[in-house]
């Protein structure tokens, strides 16, 4: 909706007030529109695991299951 309003000539400042979204959110979506999500497969795996454990596993248990399957996630960056 915000993109359409911008194309019609409305100022971004006014659009953010009407649509009630932060400016950063707008720019994030404009920048990433049309790009393929690199985490699609991981998201499918998470959904599958959640359903396989009868929707009782939280993020900690799901993370542990993903690590058992060989996924490298939630690793800390060392500077």
């Amino acid at each position: 909706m915000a993109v359409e309003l911008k194309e019609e000539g409305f100022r971004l400042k006014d659009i953010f007030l009407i649509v009630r979204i932060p400016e950063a959110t707008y720019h994030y979506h404009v920048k990433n529109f049309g790009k393929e999500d690199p985490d699609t497969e991981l998201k499918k795996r998470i959904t599958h695991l959640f359903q396989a454990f009868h929707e009782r596993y939280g993020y900690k248990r799901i993370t542990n299951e993903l690590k058992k399957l060989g996924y490298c996630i939630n690793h800390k960056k060392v500077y």
Side-chain angles (χ1 to χ4, degrees):
M1 179 177 177
V3 174
E4 290 87 7
L5 291 172
K6 174 70 175 148
E7 289 174 355
E8 289 182 26
F10 290 94
R11 296 182 334 170
L12 279 178
K13 189 175 186 179
D14 297 331
I15 294 170
F16 300 141
L17 292 173
I18 294 168
V19 182
R20 295 186 180 183
I21 62 169
E23 184 176 352
T25 302
Y26 169 82
H27 290 294
Y28 171 83
H29 286 288
V30 168
K31 178 183 172 188
N32 293 309
F33 182 76
K35 288 186 180 177
E36 186 177 328
D37 184 5
D39 296 324
T40 302
E41 185 59 38
L42 179 60
K43 289 176 182 178
K44 286 180 185 177
R45 178 64 66 176
I46 290 169
T47 302
H48 173 73
L49 287 169
F50 184 67
Q51 292 170 348
F53 292 108
H54 309 286
E55 300 180 2
R56 291 192 177 112
Y57 272 24
Y59 80 94
K60 288 182 180 181
R61 285 176 145 178
I62 295 290
T63 300
N64 288 337
E65 292 298 321
L66 289 169
K67 287 181 180 179
K68 287 180 189 176
L69 294 172
Y71 285 90
C72 182
I73 54 173
N74 287 354
H75 56 287
K76 294 182 181 181
K77 292 182 179 178
V78 180
Y79 295 98

